[in-house]
Amino acid sequence: MKKIVVLTGAGISAESGLSTFRDAGGLWDNYPVEQVATPEGWARDPALVTRFYNNLRRQLLAVRPSRAHELLARLEQHYAVTVVTQNVDDLHERAGSTHVIHLHGELMKVASSREPNNPRYIRTLAPGEVEVEPGTLAPDGSLLRPWIVWFGEAVPNMELACEEAEKADIFVVIGTSLNVYPAAGLVRYAPASAPLYVIDPKPVPVARSPRLHFFQTTASTGMELLWKELVGDPE
């Protein structure tokens, strides 16, 4: 079975109604990134950061996977699919994707602030317990923090993502500007022989080549086009 590796960004989740920190009028508009998405912001005011991510979780629970998420999950019936996502939501999993690598953490998980990547202290929140009380402690006695890779922090799953990209027979990019590193560099790890499909309504900085197929459209429409090319007409 051929292997498809898919890199997804904010554009695929925006169709579900999730605002990103680049969106005008979204939740991020009210808070500087430095305040809620950096280790320094957490150190200054962990209670504010905790409430901010509580709000993001409430927003996440109110939306559903998009058509693009659903078609990606269904591709597993025909290909070995690995999704590498820059998004912290769980919409890929809720749509049915079974092999998802989160580069920037997961919104529905919390961790120790002393050892955020120690699996002993990473816990998934149930839908009914998305409200983390400020001051709550992790099992190691440190403050419980969101399991999010903040600006300035290492990306622990990047090596795994690169290994997957190197095995790709087909590489797909959906809804990302390819401006955020190190994730944007993932394309370079795909074999030169692998066709590259890029789905985004805006121009994306990728080198033109015979292997590039650019669908300049939304994530869901682009996934319909990709499905027709790789599988046939969607049901």
Side-chain angles (χ1 to χ4, degrees):
M1 186 178 281
K2 284 191 173 182
K3 183 177 184 65
I4 298 180
V5 176
V6 186
L7 174 64
T8 66
I12 194 170
S13 293
E15 288 192 14
S16 292
L18 284 182
S19 63
T20 72
F21 69 86
R22 290 186 179 86
D23 286 337
L27 186 60
W28 290 88
D29 261 5
N30 301 318
Y31 300 89
V33 168
E34 297 77 15
Q35 195 174 32
V36 294
T38 63
E40 295 78 14
W42 170 255
R44 278 193 301 270
D45 196 342
L48 180 145
V49 176
T50 297
R51 289 192 294 269
F52 176 80
Y53 286 92
N54 285 345
N55 287 335
L56 286 184
R57 290 188 202 100
R58 283 197 297 270
Q59 184 187 83
L60 175 56
L61 290 179
V63 302
R64 297 177 58 187
S66 68
R67 174 74 167 157
H69 289 110
E70 292 167 353
L71 286 175
L72 260 186
R74 284 176 53 197
L75 264 187
E76 293 186 11
Q77 299 169 15
H78 306 276
Y79 293 89
V81 181
T82 296
V83 176
V84 180
T85 187
Q86 299 173 80
N87 302 332
V88 297
D89 59 64
D90 60 356
L91 294 174
H92 283 300
E93 289 88 347
R94 282 161 56 186
S97 290
T98 60
H99 191 192
V100 183
I101 299 171
H102 285 267
L103 293 180
H104 298 154
E106 297 181 56
L107 185 57
M108 294 301 291
K109 292 185 177 181
V110 289
S112 153
S113 54
R114 183 178 299 130
E115 296 183 79
N117 296 311
N118 187 332
R120 290 177 57 195
Y121 305 128
I122 297 172
R123 179 167 63 91
T124 301
L125 299 173
E129 58 167 359
V130 297
E131 298 280 341
V132 175
E133 188 67 29
T136 302
L137 301 182
D140 66 351
S142 68
L143 282 176
L144 197 66
R145 62 163 272 182
W147 193 56
I148 301 292
V149 178
W150 286 324
F151 290 96
E153 294 185 320
V155 180
N157 281 336
M158 193 62 203
E159 185 175 345
L160 176 60
C162 291
E163 291 172 0
E164 290 294 308
E166 289 173 343
K167 304 172 192 171
D169 296 302
I170 299 168
F171 198 94
V172 182
V173 178
I174 306 175
T176 172
S177 62
L178 292 180
N179 285 323
V180 178
Y181 283 83
L186 201 62
V187 175
R188 296 199 296 267
Y189 286 85
S193 59
L196 172 62
Y197 292 87
V198 177
I199 300 170
D200 200 278
K202 297 178 181 178
V204 176
V206 286
R208 301 300 178 196
S209 75
R211 74 185 186 113
L212 173 65
H213 308 267
F214 183 34
F215 299 146
Q216 191 166 352
T217 185
T218 62
S220 292
T221 299
M223 269 305 303
E224 298 245 358
L225 295 171
L226 181 65
W227 183 280
K228 287 180 182 178
E229 191 148 327
L230 300 182
V231 181
D233 287 333
E235 298 172 5

